[in-house]
Amino acid sequence: MTLRPICHKDAPDLYALLTHPEVVRYNDYAMPSKQQVRDIIQGDIELFLTGEGVRMAIMHQGQLIGSCGIYDAHTQVAKLGYELHPLFWGKGLMYHALSLLLSHGEQYMGGRVTAVEAQVHRDNLRSIRLLQRLGFSFVTESRYQLIWHGAELRTTKG
Protein backbone atom coordinates (compact mmCIF):
# COMPACT_ATOMS: atom_id res chain seq x y z
CA MET A 1 0.00 0.00 0.00
CA THR A 2 1.29 3.43 -0.94
CA LEU A 3 0.04 6.99 -0.86
CA ARG A 4 0.42 9.59 -3.57
CA PRO A 5 -1.32 12.91 -4.24
CA ILE A 6 -4.60 12.50 -6.12
CA CYS A 7 -4.51 13.48 -9.80
CA HIS A 8 -6.93 13.83 -12.70
CA LYS A 9 -6.27 10.33 -14.03
CA ASP A 10 -7.81 9.02 -10.78
CA ALA A 11 -11.26 10.41 -11.67
CA PRO A 12 -12.83 7.12 -12.88
CA ASP A 13 -11.58 5.12 -9.87
CA LEU A 14 -12.48 7.87 -7.38
CA TYR A 15 -15.95 8.15 -8.93
CA ALA A 16 -16.45 4.37 -8.56
CA LEU A 17 -15.31 4.61 -4.93
CA LEU A 18 -17.41 7.63 -3.97
CA THR A 19 -20.56 6.16 -5.56
CA HIS A 20 -20.21 2.70 -4.02
CA PRO A 21 -23.37 2.17 -1.88
CA GLU A 22 -21.45 1.22 1.28
CA VAL A 23 -19.16 4.25 0.96
CA VAL A 24 -22.12 6.56 0.28
CA ARG A 25 -23.83 5.18 3.39
CA TYR A 26 -21.13 6.57 5.66
CA ASN A 27 -19.96 9.60 3.69
CA ASP A 28 -20.88 13.08 4.87
CA TYR A 29 -21.82 14.39 1.42
CA ALA A 30 -24.21 13.37 -1.35
CA MET A 31 -23.29 10.94 -4.10
CA PRO A 32 -21.29 12.97 -6.66
CA SER A 33 -21.66 13.04 -10.43
CA LYS A 34 -18.66 12.32 -12.67
CA GLN A 35 -18.22 16.07 -13.24
CA GLN A 36 -18.37 16.73 -9.50
CA VAL A 37 -15.61 14.15 -8.94
CA ARG A 38 -13.45 15.91 -11.55
CA ASP A 39 -14.16 19.20 -9.75
CA ILE A 40 -13.30 17.61 -6.38
CA ILE A 41 -9.96 16.45 -7.77
CA GLN A 42 -9.23 19.90 -9.21
CA GLY A 43 -10.04 21.43 -5.83
CA ASP A 44 -7.78 18.91 -4.09
CA ILE A 45 -4.91 19.75 -6.46
CA GLU A 46 -5.41 23.45 -5.74
CA LEU A 47 -5.46 22.75 -1.98
CA PHE A 48 -2.12 21.00 -2.30
CA LEU A 49 -0.59 23.79 -4.40
CA THR A 50 -1.73 26.50 -1.96
CA GLY A 51 -0.63 24.57 1.14
CA GLU A 52 -4.17 24.28 2.49
CA GLY A 53 -4.34 20.50 2.46
CA VAL A 54 -3.92 17.34 0.45
CA ARG A 55 -5.92 14.34 -0.74
CA MET A 56 -3.86 11.22 -1.20
CA ALA A 57 -4.78 8.27 -3.36
CA ILE A 58 -4.41 5.00 -1.46
CA MET A 59 -2.86 2.60 -3.93
CA HIS A 60 -2.74 -1.17 -3.60
CA GLN A 61 -1.20 -3.31 -6.33
CA GLY A 62 -1.42 -0.40 -8.77
CA GLN A 63 -5.14 0.24 -8.11
CA LEU A 64 -6.77 3.17 -6.28
CA ILE A 65 -8.64 1.55 -3.40
CA GLY A 66 -9.30 4.65 -1.33
CA SER A 67 -8.29 8.16 -0.47
CA CYS A 68 -7.40 10.15 2.61
CA GLY A 69 -6.75 13.79 3.10
CA ILE A 70 -6.10 16.73 5.33
CA TYR A 71 -8.24 19.80 4.70
CA ASP A 72 -8.42 23.33 6.16
CA ALA A 73 -4.73 22.93 6.94
CA HIS A 74 -4.29 26.70 7.13
CA THR A 75 -6.63 26.99 10.14
CA GLN A 76 -6.25 26.00 13.79
CA VAL A 77 -8.38 22.87 13.36
CA ALA A 78 -7.53 20.88 10.25
CA LYS A 79 -10.00 18.27 8.99
CA LEU A 80 -9.26 14.64 8.22
CA GLY A 81 -11.27 12.79 5.59
CA TYR A 82 -10.98 9.27 4.23
CA GLU A 83 -12.79 6.52 2.37
CA LEU A 84 -11.84 2.98 1.42
CA HIS A 85 -13.40 0.48 -0.93
CA PRO A 86 -15.41 -2.05 1.14
CA LEU A 87 -13.42 -4.99 -0.28
CA PHE A 88 -10.51 -3.68 1.78
CA TRP A 89 -12.33 -2.93 5.05
CA GLY A 90 -11.02 -4.72 8.15
CA LYS A 91 -7.51 -5.36 6.79
CA GLY A 92 -5.67 -2.52 8.56
CA LEU A 93 -4.99 -0.62 5.35
CA MET A 94 -6.71 2.60 6.41
CA TYR A 95 -4.92 2.55 9.74
CA HIS A 96 -1.65 2.26 7.86
CA ALA A 97 -2.63 4.98 5.37
CA LEU A 98 -3.75 7.47 8.03
CA SER A 99 -0.73 6.75 10.21
CA LEU A 100 1.49 7.50 7.23
CA LEU A 101 -0.46 10.63 6.28
CA LEU A 102 -0.45 12.02 9.81
CA SER A 103 3.20 11.17 10.42
CA HIS A 104 4.04 13.37 7.42
CA GLY A 105 1.33 15.89 8.26
CA GLU A 106 3.71 18.80 8.78
CA GLN A 107 4.30 18.78 5.02
CA TYR A 108 0.62 19.53 4.46
CA MET A 109 -0.36 21.65 7.48
CA GLY A 110 0.60 25.17 8.41
CA GLY A 111 2.05 26.15 11.75
CA ARG A 112 -1.34 27.32 13.05
CA VAL A 113 -2.82 23.81 13.33
CA THR A 114 -3.39 22.76 16.94
CA ALA A 115 -5.84 19.91 16.30
CA VAL A 116 -7.04 17.56 13.60
CA GLU A 117 -10.72 16.74 13.54
CA ALA A 118 -12.64 13.94 11.86
CA GLN A 119 -16.38 13.68 11.35
CA VAL A 120 -17.71 10.15 11.42
CA HIS A 121 -21.17 8.66 11.01
CA ARG A 122 -22.33 7.46 14.43
CA ASP A 123 -23.11 3.97 13.07
CA ASN A 124 -19.67 3.57 11.49
CA LEU A 125 -18.13 1.62 14.36
CA ARG A 126 -15.07 0.54 12.36
CA SER A 127 -14.23 4.16 11.62
CA ILE A 128 -14.75 5.16 15.24
CA ARG A 129 -12.41 2.38 16.41
CA LEU A 130 -9.88 3.42 13.76
CA LEU A 131 -9.86 7.02 15.01
CA GLN A 132 -9.50 5.86 18.60
CA ARG A 133 -6.54 3.66 17.65
CA LEU A 134 -4.96 6.70 16.02
CA GLY A 135 -5.31 8.68 19.26
CA PHE A 136 -8.42 10.72 18.42
CA SER A 137 -10.76 11.57 21.29
CA PHE A 138 -14.54 11.86 21.29
CA VAL A 139 -15.78 15.47 21.00
CA THR A 140 -19.45 15.12 20.07
CA GLU A 141 -21.67 12.39 18.65
CA SER A 142 -20.08 12.65 15.20
CA ARG A 143 -16.73 14.39 15.80
CA TYR A 144 -13.38 13.12 17.00
CA GLN A 145 -10.27 15.19 17.56
CA LEU A 146 -6.53 14.65 17.77
CA ILE A 147 -4.45 17.30 19.52
CA TRP A 148 -1.73 18.11 16.99
CA HIS A 149 1.89 18.13 18.11
CA GLY A 150 3.41 18.05 14.66
CA ALA A 151 4.58 14.72 13.31
CA GLU A 152 4.62 13.28 16.83
CA LEU A 153 1.72 10.93 16.22
CA ARG A 154 0.99 8.62 19.13
CA THR A 155 -0.97 5.53 18.28
CA THR A 156 -1.91 2.45 20.21
CA LYS A 157 -1.45 -1.02 18.86
CA GLY A 158 -4.44 -3.19 18.36
Side-chain angles (χ1 to χ4, degrees), residues 113-125:
V113 174
T114 60
V116 179
E117 198 168 85
Q119 184 171 335
V120 60
H121 191 284
R122 67 182 180 167
D123 296 333
N124 193 343
L125 300 180

Side-chain angles (χ1 to χ4, degrees), residues 92-112:
L93 293 172
M94 187 56 77
Y95 176 81
H96 181 67
L98 292 179
S99 294
L100 190 59
L101 177 67
L102 291 169
S103 71
H104 292 94
E106 287 181 337
Q107 295 176 34
Y108 313 112
M109 291 191 269
R112 295 184 58 208

Side-chain angles (χ1 to χ4, degrees), residues 30-130:
M31 185 183 306
S33 68
K34 288 181 181 180
Q35 182 58 50
Q36 287 170 321
V37 169
R38 289 190 289 270
D39 293 344
I40 288 168
I41 291 172
Q42 182 61 38
D44 291 333
I45 291 169
E46 291 171 12
L47 277 177
F48 180 69
L49 293 175
T50 60
E52 295 179 15
V54 66
R55 179 190 293 254
M56 302 296 255
I58 302 172
M59 305 298 294
H60 180 67
Q61 298 178 345
Q63 179 72 33
L64 183 144
I65 63 165
S67 73
C68 58
I70 298 171
Y71 306 92
D72 295 335
H74 61 292
T75 66
Q76 276 192 292
V77 181
K79 306 292 186 281
L80 179 70
Y82 51 93
E83 49 271 322
L84 187 67
H85 193 284
L87 289 176
F88 297 92
W89 290 359
K91 300 177 188 292
L93 293 172
M94 187 56 77
Y95 176 81
H96 181 67
L98 292 179
S99 294
L100 190 59
L101 177 67
L102 291 169
S103 71
H104 292 94
E106 287 181 337
Q107 295 176 34
Y108 313 112
M109 291 191 269
R112 295 184 58 208
V113 174
T114 60
V116 179
E117 198 168 85
Q119 184 171 335
V120 60
H121 191 284
R122 67 182 180 167
D123 296 333
N124 193 343
L125 300 180
R126 285 183 182 193
S127 188
I128 291 168
R129 284 192 301 269
L130 167 67

